């Protein structure tokens, strides 16, 4: 993925990324609803209960990461739009487009892995 150079291109990229984060959040809420249905099914065994707890924790954490990503994208877009340096978090860099691009790639990779794992789990219900 190439990082845009023009200011309007950069703003468009931020908008696109924020939409992608919103789609991930929506997908996580849908999966969480499906997990709730599975959890309320009659007497899941111990292994299934552990898997349900695993997915609950993963969904909570991915929603937290999505919220952080969305916030960082908004802050970076605002600061880059004003020509000021972006805020740098020690645990999640937002100082340049390249680091944000890398974070978005990892964000998508982790979400796709979790989504696939959950799909396989839910198909056994």
């Amino acid at each position: 993925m190439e990082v845009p150079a023009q200011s309007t291109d950069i703003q468009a990229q931020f908008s696109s990324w924020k939409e992608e984060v919103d789609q991930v959040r929506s997908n996580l809420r849908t999966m969480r609803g499906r997990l709730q249905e599975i959890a309320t099914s009659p007497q899941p065994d111990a292994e299934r209960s552990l898997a349900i707890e695993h997915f609950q924790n993963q969904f909570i954490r991915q929603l937290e990461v999505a919220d952080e990503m969305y916030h960082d994208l908004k802050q970076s877009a605002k600061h880059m739009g004003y020509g000021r340096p972006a805020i740098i978090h020690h645990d999640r860099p937002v100082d340049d487009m390249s680091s944000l691009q890398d974070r978005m790639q990892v964000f998508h990779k982790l979400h796709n892995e979790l989504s696939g794992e959950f799909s396989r789990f839910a198909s056994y219900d």
Side-chain angles (χ1 to χ4, degrees), residues 2 4 7 11 24-25 46 56 60 62 92 120-121 124:
E2 189 173 312
S7 177
Q11 294 301 322
V24 166
R25 287 195 281 200
Q56 286 173 331
I60 289 168
Q62 271 217 338
R92 48 185 214 271
R120 287 186 296 279
F121 169 77
Y124 291 110

Side-chain angles (χ1 to χ4, degrees), residues 84-104:
R84 291 188 243 153
I87 298 168
I88 299 173
H89 298 283
H90 295 293
D91 63 333
R92 48 185 214 271
V94 294
D95 56 337
D96 61 60
M97 289 295 290
S98 180
S99 65
L100 287 169
Q101 179 182 16
D102 292 344
R103 286 181 58 205
M104 282 299 293

Side-chain angles (χ1 to χ4, degrees), residues 1 4-5 16 20 35-37 43 45 72 78 88 93 112:
M1 182 184 326
S16 173
E20 291 173 31
L35 183 64
Q36 184 64 34
E37 292 172 8
Q43 301 297 331
D45 61 23
D72 291 350
K78 186 163 92 172
I88 299 173
N112 290 339

Side-chain angles (χ1 to χ4, degrees), residues 8 11 14-15 18 20-21 30 39 41 43 45 50-51 56-57 62-63 71 75 99 116:
T8 54
Q11 294 301 322
F14 280 124
S15 293
K18 288 190 295 187
E20 291 173 31
V21 171
T30 300
S41 65
Q43 301 297 331
D45 61 23
L50 286 174
Q56 286 173 331
N57 293 335
Q62 271 217 338
L63 282 168
H71 171 76
Q75 292 301 312
S99 65

Side-chain angles (χ1 to χ4, degrees), residues 60-74:
I60 289 168
R61 181 62 190 132
Q62 271 217 338
L63 282 168
E64 289 172 348
V65 170
D67 290 343
E68 290 171 357
M69 192 75 217
Y70 193 87
H71 171 76
D72 291 350
L73 290 169
K74 281 178 36 179

